[in-house]
Amino acid sequence: MDFLSPLLAADTLRLSVILLTLKVAGIATVVSSVLGILTAWCIARRPFPGRTWVDALCALPLVLPPTVIGYYLILLVGRRGLVGPWLAEFGINLMFSWQGAVVAATVVVFPLIYKSARAALEAVDHNLENAARTLGASEWKVFVRVSLPLAWRGILAGVMLAFARGMGEFGATLMIAGNLPGRTQTLSLAIYSAFQAGDDAQALTLVIVTSLLCMGILILADKLATGGLSFGRGGTA
């Protein structure tokens, strides 16, 4: 049975890479969802001085090269960065750790959720929101009970797109978290390593897994955005 050992080791490695990728993308998506939806709500609610600049700053990671984002993160949370030494006092080191990969993915996927949430919230009928205000509802209650339920479909589609993007994050993750097998190596990094090592079979397997996962997420997100998916009785997918 010794001849099966390399095969089993390869399967274990693939599984660990997939699980780590899902964990990093999942946590990054949750954090970005909270921050992105709240930020979109604040900006979409009413104009304020400098809103254009804030909007541009929130969308900036969408157009910046991932390596630039990674470099900014090193300047921010690196061992000699702006907040790196302060984090080190609490035993937090984001460099070359899966937590650092989460931070990188969070920054990269944030604009996708922010843009989707802002568009969905701005599309909500303001007459319904105003009606809730006249009944004595606070701004927070208007958001939770009126705006969010009406905008959930567009927001959820953006969240799913962000999750798919988080699974494929490469440049920023490589710079801040490195490419350490079993510790920080995600699917995109594992594909790069397999290709560099000439292991075409491993690279192809990981490429197919990544493609299938992302394709499924994109199809589901499209159905949510277009209203083609219903969770109700008798709904069609």
Side-chain angles (χ1 to χ4, degrees):
M1 298 295 289
D2 291 341
F3 69 93
L4 292 177
S5 297
L7 206 56
L8 294 175
D11 288 339
T12 302
L13 177 60
R14 292 192 198 106
L15 181 60
S16 66
V17 168
I18 293 172
L19 291 178
L20 178 61
T21 302
L22 293 175
K23 179 170 72 172
V24 169
I27 296 175
T29 302
V30 170
V31 175
S32 296
S33 295
V34 175
L35 298 177
I37 293 170
L38 291 177
T39 304
W41 174 53
C42 292
I43 291 181
R45 189 171 51 170
R46 61 173 60 91
F48 60 87
R51 187 174 72 161
T52 302
W53 289 94
V54 175
D55 178 69
L57 182 62
C58 290
L60 189 60
L62 196 62
V63 296
L64 282 178
T67 50
V68 174
I69 297 174
Y71 188 77
Y72 277 135
L73 288 175
I74 291 174
L75 294 179
L76 181 63
V77 301
R79 293 185 178 89
R80 298 180 181 179
L82 292 177
V83 299
W86 179 76
L87 292 174
E89 294 179 2
F90 296 92
I92 301 174
N93 179 25
L94 297 177
M95 298 300 296
F96 303 107
S97 67
W98 71 266
Q99 292 89 344
V102 170
V103 172
T106 299
V107 175
V108 170
V109 306
F110 172 84
L112 291 172
I113 298 176
Y114 163 73
K115 282 294 187 180
S116 298
R118 181 180 175 184
L121 291 170
E122 288 179 341
V124 172
D125 188 349
H126 296 302
N127 292 326
L128 297 176
E129 295 176 327
N130 292 331
R133 293 187 183 98
T134 58
L135 294 175
S138 64
E139 287 296 326
W140 178 249
K141 286 186 176 180
V142 171
F143 170 66
V144 173
R145 297 184 178 181
V146 180
S147 304
L148 199 57
L150 292 174
W152 75 269
R153 191 181 294 276
I155 293 176
L156 185 57
V159 169
M160 297 184 70
L161 288 173
F163 180 76
R165 176 64 184 87
M167 288 182 57
E169 162 50 27
F170 178 81
T173 301
L174 180 61
M175 292 192 67
I176 190 172
N179 185 13
L180 306 176
R183 290 181 54 190
T184 65
Q185 190 177 74
T186 57
L187 276 169
S188 56
L189 294 173
I191 292 169
Y192 176 77
S193 296
F195 176 76
Q196 289 291 97
D199 190 349
D200 293 337
Q202 174 83 339
L204 181 59
T205 300
L206 294 174
V207 164
I208 292 174
V209 170
T210 305
S211 300
L212 290 176
L213 287 173
C214 292
M215 183 66 72
I217 294 171
L218 290 174
I219 292 173
L220 190 55
D222 179 70
K223 287 186 175 295
L224 285 170
T226 58
L229 185 66
S230 174
F231 296 101
R233 202 170 192 176
T236 57

